[in-house]
Amino acid sequence: MHHTPSGSRTRIFEVSTLYGAATLAAALDAGLFGPRDDGRRILLVSNNAPIPETAAQLPEMPGFDRVAGRFDRVLDYNREISPYHPGTWVPKPTDAILLRRLLARQWELGDDPVELVVESVTAAPAKALTEIFTDADVHVYADGLMSYGPTRD
């Protein structure tokens, strides 16, 4: 599933739960991120379970395919940062520029502006992504009531 719409931006939607992916699908269906041809949409799936290898993988869950159809690509964040754990890993400041270049090549971002749509700006992997893509506009979505409270930092 690799489709490149005519827009010149790439939005990376970071999710760790099927509920979060469904929340983003509803936002896309409601037009909150513009029309379908307004740039590329990448769904970046993160498994933050204590031992990700033993937990159910999001792409294997019933209903995931229906949600994933709204995105041009689905990428596995755990695979990209292995052997680190996505719930705790944040790049060293000196590595961020190198990682930006590496991920841009790996994810075929080209020179398009990047927008991040993340679960929480105070926790990994969103924190890692915002440190790597320092020039990205950042949108935060809430997939539960605790997200409406004050942030930890």
Side-chain angles (χ1 to χ4, degrees):
M1 145 179 23
H2 183 76
H3 166 260
T4 305
S6 61
S8 64
R9 86 177 89 206
T10 299
R11 286 192 180 101
I12 300 172
F13 296 82
E14 175 261 324
V15 298
S16 63
T17 65
L18 186 56
Y19 189 73
T23 300
L24 290 174
L28 289 168
D29 290 351
L32 298 179
F33 289 100
R36 181 69 190 98
D37 63 351
D38 185 25
R40 291 186 300 160
R41 298 174 176 174
I42 295 175
L43 184 63
L44 184 61
V45 176
S46 173
N47 187 330
N48 298 340
I51 304 173
E53 298 78 13
T54 63
Q57 301 299 309
L58 194 58
E60 298 167 3
M61 293 180 178
F64 178 80
D65 288 339
R66 290 182 59 205
V67 170
R70 291 164 176 87
F71 300 90
D72 302 309
R73 296 181 73 186
V74 176
L75 299 173
D76 184 339
Y77 185 68
N78 292 53
R79 184 177 305 133
E80 297 296 339
I81 66 163
S82 178
Y84 300 105
H85 189 284
T88 58
W89 179 77
V90 177
K92 296 176 191 170
T94 55
D95 294 340
I97 294 171
L98 175 66
L99 287 166
R100 169 67 164 97
R101 290 181 188 148
L102 177 68
L103 292 177
R105 186 172 347 128
Q106 194 75 4
W107 296 348
E108 301 173 4
L109 302 179
D111 294 327
D112 291 353
V114 172
E115 289 184 28
L116 296 173
V117 182
V118 298
E119 293 173 316
S120 167
V121 291
T122 61
K127 190 171 183 179
L129 291 169
T130 58
E131 290 186 19
I132 293 169
F133 295 97
T134 56
D135 58 341
D137 289 339
V138 179
H139 307 272
V140 179
Y141 69 94
D143 70 348
L145 292 177
M146 74 180 204
S147 298
Y148 288 101
T151 61
R152 291 173 275 193
D153 298 329

